[in-house]
């Protein structure tokens, strides 16, 4: 069984358990609320039943978001989870608005409602215990599988527990003669639910528009990367969050004298160190630089290999027409170009060949240094 599949099953299991609890508590609150004359408990029951809709949505979204990347979604389906969290938050805000409207109507009614009876207290207490248990259970699962959607659903359950606490207080106050406490309790519940819904929605919207991760988190990533041997600097660091995972992009600066394969291996090592140190680090894109392209001009007018080879060949033809072409030409690009010429020769070459070659090429602005090497003994 794959890790993704087991995570999905764990998330679905806790969501279905929560849905069963929501159904039982929702029906009990509405029935007992009506029979016991508690409007706050009835509103709380509607809140519980509304959780059934969001629980179903959570299951559907989880199945979509855990699908493998495909042609239409090469980065995966994690954004579906974020969108699902936005919908869940908006549902909470809508429920809060309806609850607040009904509560305000009760507060300003001319007719004093009937006094709630003791069964309303019992159901409210059972709701507090049940929803608090499912909150902690769902939160543990959400954190274990790093699912913002499951964590958001846990907070959705916590709103039911909070609302039941307020209902308990309101019903008790109304039973003691302060009749308006029941309606006030329902209004307070609606405010709590609306606040949590707004926070969930806003956080997910920030994720959808690729808001950067907190500075302290970026600093921690930066410190781990800089500990890798061979890395001189890290710049152009970009970050975003997707379905509970951090996605990063960075430019890693290494020495310009390293081979391309060594530079790339250093970058791979940095990514491995990041993923070992931080479990939330997912996809990482890195670019190997031999200079800081944040401060230096990227589109320089330096010639590419073909032009360099032609000019070096023309220069060698002038000063040493009988000399064979270099066996290998290595170019190092920085502010200018350093050229290394490797010759296969049984005898030492002219020790001033590098200087003469540069002069024959009329000292072009882009040519910084020329080094000439003999392959058999490594001297120049």
């Amino acid at each position: 069984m794959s890790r993704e599949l087991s995570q999905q099953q764990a998330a679905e299991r806790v969501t279905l358990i929560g849905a069963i609890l929501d159904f039982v508590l929702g029906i009990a609150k509405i029935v007992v609320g009506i029979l016991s004359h508690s409007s706050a408990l009835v509103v709380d029951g509607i809140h519980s039943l509304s959780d059934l809709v969001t629980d179903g949505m959570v299951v559907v979204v989880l199945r979509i978001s855990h699908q493998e990347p495909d042609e239409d979604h090469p980065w995966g389906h994690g954004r579906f989870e974020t969108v699902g969290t936005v919908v869940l938050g908006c549902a909470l805000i809508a429920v809060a608005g309806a609850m607040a409207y009904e509560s305000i109507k009760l507060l300003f009614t001319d007719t004093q409602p009937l006094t709630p009876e003791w069964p309303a207290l019992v159901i409210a207490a059972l709701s507090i215990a049940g929803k608090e248990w499912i909150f902690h259970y769902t939160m543990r699962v959400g954190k274990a599988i790093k699912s913002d959607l499951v964590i958001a659903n846990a907070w959705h359950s916590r709103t039911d527990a909070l609302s039941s606490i307020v209902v308990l207080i309101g019903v008790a106050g109304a039973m003691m003669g302060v009749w308006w406490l029941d309606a006030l309790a329902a209004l307070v519940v609606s405010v709590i639910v609306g606040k949590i819904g707004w926070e969930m929605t806003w956080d997910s919207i920030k994720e959808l528009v690729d808001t950067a991760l907190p500075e302290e988190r970026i600093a921690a990533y930066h410190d781990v990367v800089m500990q890798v041997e061979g890395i001189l600097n890290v710049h152009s660091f970009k970050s975003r969050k997707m379905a509970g995972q951090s996605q990063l992009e960075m430019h890693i600066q290494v020495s310009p004298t390293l081979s391309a394969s060594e530079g790339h291996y250093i970058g791979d090592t940095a990514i491995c160190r990041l993923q070992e140190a931080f479990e939330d680090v997912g996809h990482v894109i890195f670019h190997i630089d031999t200079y800081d392209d944040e401060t230096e001009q990227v589109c320089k007018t330096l010639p590419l290999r073909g032009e360099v080879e032609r000019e070096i060949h023309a220069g060698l033809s002038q000063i040493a027409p009988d000399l064979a072409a270099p066996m290998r030409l290595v170019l190092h690009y920085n502010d200018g170009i350093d050229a290394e010429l490797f010759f296969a020769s049984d005898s030492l070459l002219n020790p001033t060949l590098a200087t003469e070659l540069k002069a024959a090429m009329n000292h072009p602005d882009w040519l910084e240094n020329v080094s000439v090497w003999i392959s058999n003994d490594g001297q120049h």
Side-chain angles (χ1 to χ4, degrees):
M1 181 183 295
S2 68
R3 182 170 178 268
E4 285 287 324
L5 183 58
S6 62
Q7 288 182 345
Q8 178 186 338
Q9 290 176 338
E12 289 185 8
R13 182 170 57 250
V14 70
T15 303
L16 291 174
I17 292 173
I20 295 171
L21 183 63
D22 289 332
F23 177 76
V24 173
L25 287 176
I27 296 298
K29 288 178 187 178
I30 292 174
V31 172
V32 174
I34 292 173
L35 296 177
S36 300
H37 318 300
S38 174
S39 59
L41 190 61
V42 173
V43 171
D44 201 24
I46 295 172
H47 178 204
S48 295
L49 288 182
S50 72
D51 290 354
L52 283 174
V53 178
T54 55
D55 288 337
M57 183 206 70
V58 167
V59 172
V60 172
V61 171
L62 283 170
R63 292 189 176 185
I64 296 174
S65 65
H66 282 80
Q67 292 178 6
E68 295 295 326
D70 54 32
E71 186 176 346
D72 293 329
H73 305 89
W75 298 94
H77 297 76
R79 288 294 192 208
F80 284 93
E81 183 171 329
T82 309
V83 172
T85 307
V86 171
V87 174
L88 182 57
C90 290
L92 280 176
I93 295 173
V95 169
M99 292 166 58
Y101 175 73
E102 294 298 327
S103 301
I104 292 173
K105 281 204 310 183
L106 285 173
L107 279 174
F108 291 95
T109 183
D110 294 331
T111 304
Q112 181 174 328
L114 296 173
T115 302
E117 298 175 0
W118 66 266
L121 289 176
V122 175
I123 295 300
L126 290 175
S127 176
I128 293 169
K131 297 302 289 188
E132 191 65 16
W133 170 78
I134 198 66
F135 163 74
H136 288 288
Y137 178 28
T138 307
M139 183 63 75
R140 282 199 304 272
V141 173
K143 289 182 176 179
I145 66 176
K146 297 180 178 62
S147 171
D148 285 343
L149 183 61
V150 174
I151 292 173
N153 205 31
W155 280 110
H156 196 184
S157 297
R158 169 57 72 85
T159 65
D160 224 358
L162 294 174
S163 64
S164 295
I165 292 173
V166 178
V167 168
L168 186 68
I169 296 172
V171 170
M175 291 176 65
M176 290 186 293
V178 188
W179 67 267
W180 48 266
L181 270 181
D182 186 59
L184 181 62
L187 180 60
V188 172
V189 169
S190 67
V191 173
I192 294 172
V193 173
K195 179 178 181 295
I196 293 176
W198 166 252
E199 290 175 348
M200 288 165 49
T201 302
W202 181 239
D203 288 343
S204 296
I205 288 174
K206 288 193 294 184
E207 182 176 325
L208 285 174
V209 297
D210 291 337
T211 301
L213 297 174
E215 290 185 7
E216 59 271 15
R217 193 66 170 174
I218 298 301
Y221 294 151
H222 184 276
D223 290 344
V224 170
V225 173
M226 287 301 298
Q227 292 173 11
V228 177
E229 181 183 355
I231 293 181
L232 305 179
N233 186 28
V234 180
H235 54 276
S236 298
F237 209 119
K238 299 180 179 65
S239 66
R240 62 180 180 177
K241 190 177 180 183
M242 179 185 290
Q245 285 195 322
S246 300
Q247 297 195 337
L248 310 175
E249 182 177 338
M250 68 191 79
H251 285 215
I252 296 175
Q253 184 179 348
V254 299
S255 170
T257 60
L258 298 183
S259 66
S261 60
E262 183 178 0
H264 191 82
Y265 184 77
I266 290 174
D268 284 338
T269 302
I271 304 315
C272 290
R273 298 279 179 86
L274 274 173
Q275 293 177 332
E276 289 170 359
F278 304 97
E279 292 184 353
D280 65 306
V281 173
H283 190 74
V284 182
I285 299 174
F286 68 87
H287 176 75
I288 296 298
D289 286 338
T290 56
Y291 57 89
D292 187 347
D293 57 7
E294 269 195 329
T295 59
E296 297 182 35
Q297 178 63 41
V298 178
C299 297
K300 298 177 180 179
T301 57
L302 299 177
L304 296 177
R305 172 174 287 272
E307 182 179 345
V308 174
E309 287 180 337
R310 286 191 294 272
E311 295 207 26
I312 288 178
H313 178 74
L316 287 174
S317 299
Q318 294 180 37
I319 61 175
D322 298 330
L323 185 64
M327 178 179 64
R328 186 160 64 100
L329 172 64
V330 178
L331 304 178
H332 301 287
Y333 284 77
N334 202 346
D335 291 330
I337 298 177
D338 291 342
E340 292 184 291
L341 285 71
F342 291 80
F343 290 91
S345 176
D346 295 330
S347 59
L348 288 176
L349 299 176
N350 181 355
T352 62
L353 180 61
T355 302
E356 294 179 7
L357 175 60
K358 199 170 182 180
M361 296 172 63
N362 295 321
H363 299 280
D365 294 337
W366 49 263
L367 186 60
E368 294 286 336
N369 297 294
V370 176
S371 301
V372 177
W373 303 86
I374 301 175
S375 62
N376 62 345
D377 59 3
Q379 300 297 315
H380 71 281

